[in-house]
Amino acid sequence: MMEEVVRYNFRLRPGAIAERALTAEWHRCRFLWNEAVHQQKSGRKPTFGKLSKLLTDARSRRLWLRDGSQVAQQQTLRTYGQALDHSFKVKGRGRPTVKTRKNSRPSLEYTVRGFAIKAGKLALPKGVNIPVVWSRDLPSEPTSVRVTQDSLGHWYASFVVRRAVEATPLVEGSIGIDWGVSTTATTTDPLYDLPYLGHRKRCAAELAKAQRKMSRRRSGKRGPQSAGYARAVRDAAKLHKKAVRQNSHDARLWAKGLVEHHALIAVEDFKPKFLAKSKMARKAADAAIGAAKRELIFRGERAGRTVVMVRPAYTTMTCSSCFARAKQRLELDERTFLCDDCGHTDGRDRNAARVILVVAERGHTCVDDVRRSQPSFGLVAGAL
């Protein structure tokens, strides 16, 4: 039986002393990260080996660093080395930047020699014991753990474990997916559409009230903010996180049902980033297209399905019946597609989803590739 490496997340309930210890440990790790960034900007080309030697020297001279966990500090430097390496190899990945006290969230890594689970608690170095909310059992002994804090001040532990991979049933269906705003995902089968539910829109009034309270209590740049401002920020963050969790839940259920019944999944390779500059920015962010797309791709690849990313160019302008291309680009208010060549009529997004599926079924990732490979454009609409 095959195994997979996954993360199991659990809520932590640290006391005041444990929380202060975690925060102090994070500031030590943050100092080391920023020092590594400085080394890179100075042209010294820091490697993990060089940084480890600098850490050993710094711990011998600074009691402040020796009071922390060497495992967490080494893992911080290892993570920095990986981030720096990816910045040279992964397209669009920038160089690691400085982590400020104000804008960075605590994140601590511990390998198996730096933590233990004792009596249902997470035992960390320097005598830090934190109760864990065990919502489920671990499938195996964890090899590492990541301790993080979110925007609400809640602490979480993410354990890396191995678990057996369940056999995925074989299916034969195929489906095409077109992303939108009024309907988050339009598919070739209406039963699997992901509607726009507007979770952020429902709490817009409460969020606006919380943001006005933040604005009133903000003291500008004159020293640190008050405790009242911090409470107002927390109230606004709660509303944001509530909407995010609702969107994530809907996307998981939708992706799970779609992956269970289709062997071929053709996904429009849509980049929602450009919508941030349009009039639909707020609604596009509320739809969480990017999060739903990532969830679908992850679940599809994990289940062994064939996931094909199709470029969105001309998918809206192409007829799914005869594959003829419209002469003019459709405006956003035109929701019905009408082919001038064959008279085929369909919903704008539904037609695009069928085109995306046709492209994927023929082993391509672009509409133009299909048009060049089939001069007659003789596609049968009934096969879709």
Side-chain angles (χ1 to χ4, degrees):
M1 181 177 293
M2 296 180 60
E3 290 185 338
E4 62 178 352
V5 179
V6 295
R7 284 188 175 273
Y8 273 45
N9 299 321
F10 300 93
R11 176 78 179 272
L12 298 178
R13 302 284 188 182
I17 297 176
E19 188 165 2
R20 284 197 297 268
L22 291 174
T23 304
E25 190 67 72
W26 162 241
H27 289 318
R28 296 185 189 96
C29 294
R30 188 175 59 84
F31 165 78
L32 294 172
W33 177 282
N34 294 342
E35 181 62 27
V37 172
H38 174 70
Q39 295 277 334
Q40 171 65 21
K41 290 183 177 180
S42 302
R44 301 177 187 177
K45 298 181 180 180
T47 62
F48 176 68
K50 292 180 180 179
L51 293 175
S52 296
K53 291 181 180 179
L54 292 175
L55 173 61
T56 303
D57 180 64
R59 284 178 62 89
S60 66
R61 292 185 290 104
R62 300 192 182 194
L63 178 62
W64 175 63
L65 282 176
R66 286 203 304 273
D67 289 340
S69 168
Q70 186 176 6
V71 174
Q73 295 169 14
Q74 284 181 335
Q75 287 301 112
T76 298
L77 297 180
R78 190 182 298 276
T79 303
Y80 172 83
Q82 293 174 350
L84 182 62
D85 185 57
H86 289 168
S87 69
F88 292 103
K89 297 180 179 179
V90 181
K91 183 179 179 181
R93 189 75 61 85
R95 302 287 185 271
T97 58
V98 171
K99 294 183 181 292
T100 62
R101 177 186 288 266
K102 180 179 179 181
N103 297 324
S104 59
R105 298 289 175 191
S107 179
L108 303 170
E109 294 269 0
Y110 296 91
T111 58
V112 68
R113 66 187 183 92
F115 77 97
I117 299 176
K118 299 179 180 179
K121 293 184 178 182
L122 176 63
L124 299 178
K126 307 300 179 180
V128 179
N129 296 306
I130 308 173
V132 183
V133 181
W134 297 107
S135 55
R136 51 181 173 171
D137 295 330
L138 292 174
S140 64
E141 290 295 324
T143 57
S144 67
V145 64
R146 179 185 298 162
V147 179
T148 58
Q149 186 186 36
D150 65 3
S151 59
L152 300 180
H154 299 160
W155 291 89
Y156 295 89
S158 177
F159 295 94
V160 176
V161 295
R162 290 183 174 274
R163 70 177 180 186
V165 179
E166 298 180 1
T168 305
L170 298 177
V171 292
E172 298 181 354
S174 58
I175 194 168
I177 301 163
D178 178 74
W179 303 106
V181 177
S182 57
T183 300
T184 304
T186 302
T187 66
T188 51
D189 186 349
L191 294 176
Y192 293 96
D193 285 358
L194 178 61
Y196 166 70
L197 300 175
H199 295 302
R200 284 190 178 91
K201 185 177 180 181
R202 287 204 301 271
C203 62
E206 297 177 72
L207 183 59
K209 183 178 179 181
Q211 290 173 338
R212 287 195 297 269
K213 187 187 294 184
M214 287 172 52
S215 180
R216 288 195 304 269
R217 295 182 178 181
R218 181 173 176 81
S219 61
K221 297 182 179 180
R222 301 190 305 273
Q225 301 297 326
S226 65
Y229 175 77
R231 289 193 296 271
V233 171
R234 183 181 176 86
D235 292 341
K238 280 184 178 180
L239 295 173
H240 276 295
K241 191 158 190 176
K242 179 180 178 181
V244 169
R245 284 173 170 171
Q246 289 173 327
N247 279 328
S248 299
H249 176 73
D250 294 338
R252 281 196 297 267
L253 293 180
W254 170 73
K256 181 181 178 181
L258 192 145
V259 167
E260 286 179 351
H261 298 91
H262 300 91
L264 172 63
I265 304 174
V267 185
E268 180 189 13
D269 194 9
F270 179 69
K271 303 292 190 300
K273 185 176 180 180
F274 82 95
L275 289 177
K277 303 178 182 178
S278 69
K279 295 180 180 179
M280 299 184 296
R282 178 175 295 184
K283 194 170 183 180
D286 193 358
I289 299 173
K293 176 184 170 184
R294 288 191 298 271
E295 184 70 24
L296 175 62
I297 295 173
F298 167 74
R299 287 186 174 271
E301 293 177 346
R302 180 170 171 265
R305 307 307 191 198
T306 303
V307 181
V308 181
M309 306 301 297
V310 178
R311 281 179 278 179
Y314 305 114
T315 54
T316 305
M317 300 171 59
T318 303
C319 176
S320 61
S321 178
C322 66
F323 235 66
R325 183 176 297 172
K327 304 299 182 182
Q328 296 180 346
R329 190 179 299 273
L330 273 71
E331 299 296 334
L332 287 176
D333 58 346
E334 299 181 51
R335 307 312 303 173
T336 302
F337 179 87
L338 174 61
C339 180
D340 296 331
D341 288 24
C342 68
H344 174 69
T345 303
D346 202 351
R348 170 198 178 110
D349 295 337
R350 192 81 61 196
N351 177 78
R354 295 177 185 274
V355 171
I356 291 169
L357 179 58
V358 169
V359 172
E361 286 179 334
R362 281 153 180 77
H364 299 288
T365 60
C366 180
V367 172
D368 285 338
D369 293 340
V370 179
R371 290 174 60 85
R372 284 193 291 265
S373 63
Q374 295 191 9
S376 62
F377 310 138
L379 304 181
V380 181
L384 302 179

